[in-house]
């Protein structure tokens, strides 16, 4: 099950960050420290975000899905955070020079090694496609709660299939 | 429709959002009668060369691509396939375009 792959140590609630850089440092560094990603990961996230931004509006909620090339990753890992206050990202599909900003409240950071991760990616993206779940995830006050919400959603999906 | 549709899906890294967009696109096009869809994923920076090799029927992208160098192709920015909001409408547009190409 997807939720079982989400480790508490990579889930942060009410993350205090003033910039996307601080978000990358806070979440990315955890993955580096745990050996999931290489030392170059955080810098690579920043550089990629400057060229290919990952902020996205889901209906009216700002989310970001930072990720970078597989060469910076040892083991595929997902990190999730809701933010203490919104942080400015630029919108996916635009050039940051265009200045299309998104006030982001929720982060799904993807560390992807290799190419066979369709299921993990789809499940991760499904979390932001369901507004009710997304609002719950943004309001969650602990990493246990975040994982519980994801588990419940997955159980519900299983029942529907 | 038996002809295989070739789609080139581009994002910044070629492994994350383009993968999700490609799968969503495949599923939604199948629902619109396009059963044979071949998707190739690539990084935005590789797209001009990839397009020359593959000659796709349509390009979908979630990151900025050099549209001025891809004028002979129809490109759709498909963030809707990531957020889910408006995905059906974009799929309709792509299906319509593909049908118009066949005629």
């Amino acid at each position: 099950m997807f939720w079982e792959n989400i480790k508490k140590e990579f889930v942060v609630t009410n993350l205090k960050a003033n910039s996307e850089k601080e978000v990358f440092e806070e979440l990315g560094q955890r993955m580096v420290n745990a050996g999931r990603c290489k030392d170059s990961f955080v810098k690579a996230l920043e550089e990629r975000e400057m060229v290919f931004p990952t902020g996205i509006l889901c209906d009216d909620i700002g989310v970001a899905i930072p990720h970078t090339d597989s060469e910076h990753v040892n083991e595929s890992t997902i990190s999730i955070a809701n933010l203490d206050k919104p942080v400015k990202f630029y919108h996916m599909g635009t050039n940051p020079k265009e200045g299309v900003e998104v006030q982001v409240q929720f982060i799904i950071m993807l560390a992807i090694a290799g190419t066979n991760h369709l299921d993990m990616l789809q499940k991760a993206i499904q979390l932001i496609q369901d507004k009710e779940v997304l609002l719950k995830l943004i309001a969650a006050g602990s990493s246990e709660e975040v994982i519980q919400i994801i588990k419940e959603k997955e159980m519900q999906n299983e029942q529907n299939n | 429709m038996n002809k295989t549709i070739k789609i080139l899906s581009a994002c910044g890294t070629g492994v994350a959002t383009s993968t999700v967009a490609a799968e969503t696109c495949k599923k939604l096009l199948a629902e619109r009668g396009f059963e044979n869809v071949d998707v190739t994923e690539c990084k935005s920076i590789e797209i001009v060369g990839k397009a020359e090799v593959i000659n796709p029927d349509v390009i979908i992208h979630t990151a900025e691509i050099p549209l001025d160098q891809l004028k002979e192709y129809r490109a759709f920015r498909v963030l809707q396939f990531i957020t889910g909001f408006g995905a059906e409408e974009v799929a309709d547009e792509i299906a319509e375009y593909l049908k118009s190409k066949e005629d």
Side-chain angles (χ1 to χ4, degrees), chain A residues 48 52 56-59 65 67-69 91-95 98 112 115 118 121-122 125 128-129, chain B residues 11-13 15-17 19-20 23-24 43-45 62-64 77 79-85:
Chain A
R48 184 191 184 266
F52 300 114
I56 193 163
L57 266 185
C58 294
D59 203 0
I65 319 167
H67 56 281
T68 189
D69 294 311
H91 208 288
M92 192 185 286
T94 69
N95 186 313
E98 296 169 48
I112 301 156
T115 49
L118 180 61
L121 288 169
Q122 283 183 322
I125 298 295
I128 63 170
Q129 294 185 339
Chain B
C11 74
T13 57
V15 289
T17 49
T19 312
V20 176
E23 279 308 305
T24 309
K43 295 185 185 197
S44 283
I45 50 166
T62 56
E64 191 190 31
R77 199 177 78 163
L79 299 183
Q80 296 89 336
F81 291 164
I82 307 300
T83 64
F85 298 96

Side-chain angles (χ1 to χ4, degrees), chain B:
Chain B
M1 274 153 266
N2 292 322
K3 184 181 167 271
T4 299
I5 304 289
K6 286 181 288 183
I7 294 182
L8 187 56
S9 177
C11 74
T13 57
V15 289
T17 49
S18 61
T19 312
V20 176
E23 279 308 305
T24 309
C25 188
K26 256 191 188 172
K27 182 177 144 254
L28 294 177
L29 284 179
E31 289 170 13
R32 285 160 178 77
F34 295 92
E35 301 290 345
N36 299 318
V37 177
D38 238 12
V39 186
T40 308
E41 287 162 47
C42 71
K43 295 185 185 197
S44 283
I45 50 166
E46 305 166 342
I47 192 166
V48 174
K50 280 272 181 195
E52 271 174 32
V53 175
I54 292 164
N55 191 26
D57 294 293
V58 67
I59 289 172
I60 60 175
H61 60 106
T62 56
E64 191 190 31
I65 55 173
L67 288 170
D68 53 328
Q69 294 173 57
L70 298 161
K71 282 191 181 126
E72 56 204 283
Y73 308 100
R74 181 75 191 271
F76 293 86
R77 199 177 78 163
V78 293
L79 299 183
Q80 296 89 336
F81 291 164
I82 307 300
T83 64
F85 298 96
E88 299 284 342
E89 289 79 358
V90 185
D92 283 341
E93 270 183 56
I94 297 173
E96 248 168 65
Y97 170 69
L98 291 171
K99 275 175 194 150
S100 73
K101 251 190 116 188
E102 281 179 357
D103 296 339

